[in-house]
Amino acid sequence: MRMVADQLEAALINRGLAKPKRLEIHNLVTSTNQLAKQYLLNASVMPDVIIANQQSAGYGRLKRKFYSPQQTGIYMSLLLPDIPLNEEATLLTPLSAVAVVRAIRAVCQIETQIKWVNDIYYEGQKVVGILAESIPHHGIVIGIGIDFKDDGQLSQLVEKAGVLLPNTSPITRNQLISQILLEFDRLLPTYRQKEFMAEYREVSLLITKKIVIRLNEEKTLTGYVQDITNNGELVIQTVGQRLQIIRAGEVERVLSW
């Protein structure tokens, strides 16, 4: 399929925002999150958002490689130097996921679902990964990687990966990036009230599903996801009918769809 021309442009991204951002756009970086963390550690003046056309060493949770080809993906990191590193900061990952789901719905006119805690799926395939990283006494970085269109190799190189849009779609990365930043700005001021978690539950991929979740290197847990708390924890009913609250872990398998 023919690829629609889609160049990243700060002016087009900021056009849709109530308050323009300081955007730094690169053709190639190792990782937008790595660059953002360097800013937090070393700079007194920094951008609000770093965006790249391509990453040579993109990564997700547990340092898994995130395939980041040029022209077809969105690779961006939001810098939050003023957010305190407390227990509530963990809510920034689900908040970001809700912002992305909202933005995709508004711009692409499609419905996506959130796989706890940081992945977004479309038609059974992963299309977005979100990674929040913190640096004590310096701030938080929110990395968002989106498989926007198909580079021709994604499905062969990345298991269960999908794309949001066909290559012939006229929708641009600038439009979706702008809407994500708009939705994030709408949610951030009230994140401590946790009201967005109701929306997170509504678009959850896991509630009512039977899953296998890895708690650590030695232990997994199998059960049905009953709910997700306002603190972002999974409520799982195990085979023995016990309810367990899971704060952290890796969902390895979804056994019922």
Side-chain angles (χ1 to χ4, degrees):
M1 291 184 290
R2 181 178 60 86
M3 179 71 68
V4 175
D6 186 3
Q7 301 300 319
L8 297 169
E9 295 186 36
L12 294 178
I13 294 169
N14 271 325
R15 184 182 295 172
L17 302 181
K19 182 180 179 181
K21 301 286 187 184
R22 293 168 296 186
L23 302 175
E24 186 172 290
I25 297 178
H26 297 263
N27 184 51
L28 175 65
V29 297
T30 54
S31 157
T32 59
N33 260 29
Q34 288 288 14
L35 184 55
K37 289 189 291 183
Q38 291 172 18
Y39 265 115
L40 286 182
L41 283 169
N42 302 313
S44 57
V45 179
M46 64 190 74
D48 298 311
V49 186
I50 297 172
I51 307 168
N53 189 50
Q54 183 181 8
Q55 297 182 121
S56 61
Y59 61 92
R61 287 189 71 204
L62 307 177
K63 298 298 180 182
R64 293 193 183 101
K65 183 177 179 180
F66 187 88
Y67 181 57
S68 312
Q70 62 180 338
Q71 288 297 117
T72 59
I74 292 172
Y75 321 113
M76 58 190 285
S77 294
L78 287 68
L79 291 77
L80 304 173
D82 300 320
I83 299 293
L85 296 181
N86 53 31
E87 190 169 301
E88 291 173 334
T90 59
L91 293 170
L92 291 173
T93 298
L95 178 147
S96 300
V98 170
V100 173
V101 167
R102 284 185 178 185
I104 291 172
R105 181 185 298 127
V107 174
C108 305
Q109 301 293 298
I110 60 177
E111 294 294 331
T112 54
Q113 293 178 289
I114 301 170
K115 176 175 172 282
W116 184 88
V117 60
N118 65 328
D119 293 334
I120 295 174
Y121 275 59
Y122 175 55
E123 295 184 337
Q125 295 179 306
K126 179 180 172 179
V127 291
V128 183
I130 298 169
L131 178 65
E133 297 186 278
S134 62
I135 300 178
H137 312 298
H138 291 87
I140 297 170
V141 169
I142 305 290
I144 300 172
I146 303 176
D147 296 321
F148 189 62
K149 294 181 181 178
D150 192 358
D151 75 325
Q153 300 185 75
L154 179 67
S155 59
Q156 287 78 36
L157 295 175
V158 185
E159 185 180 3
K160 293 186 179 179
V163 294
L164 280 178
L165 295 170
N167 289 357
T168 52
S169 171
I171 297 170
T172 68
R173 292 179 294 172
N174 294 312
Q175 290 173 282
L176 185 53
I177 292 169
S178 181
Q179 191 69 30
I180 289 170
L181 296 177
L182 182 66
E183 300 292 352
F184 187 88
D185 283 351
R186 287 171 173 166
L187 289 167
L188 186 61
T190 59
Y191 82 96
R192 291 182 179 87
Q193 281 72 55
K194 308 175 184 178
E195 292 178 0
F196 69 92
M197 286 303 300
E199 192 170 344
Y200 186 91
R201 284 189 284 271
E202 286 176 6
V203 294
S204 169
L205 181 68
L206 298 186
I207 291 178
T208 74
K209 303 296 194 303
K210 186 178 183 181
I211 67 167
V212 177
I213 183 169
R214 180 160 294 282
L215 306 178
N216 52 50
E217 289 186 5
E218 294 82 26
K219 187 176 180 181
T220 63
L221 179 70
T222 300
Y224 289 89
V225 178
Q226 299 297 307
D227 201 359
I228 298 174
T229 72
N230 278 348
N231 292 321
E233 304 151 321
L234 284 184
V235 181
I236 296 180
Q237 185 176 47
T238 66
V239 176
Q241 304 301 307
R242 293 180 55 203
L243 286 181
Q244 295 205 28
I245 308 297
I246 307 299
R247 289 184 56 86
E250 184 77 11
V251 177
E252 291 192 336
R253 282 179 288 161
V254 180
L255 300 177
S256 60
W257 290 84

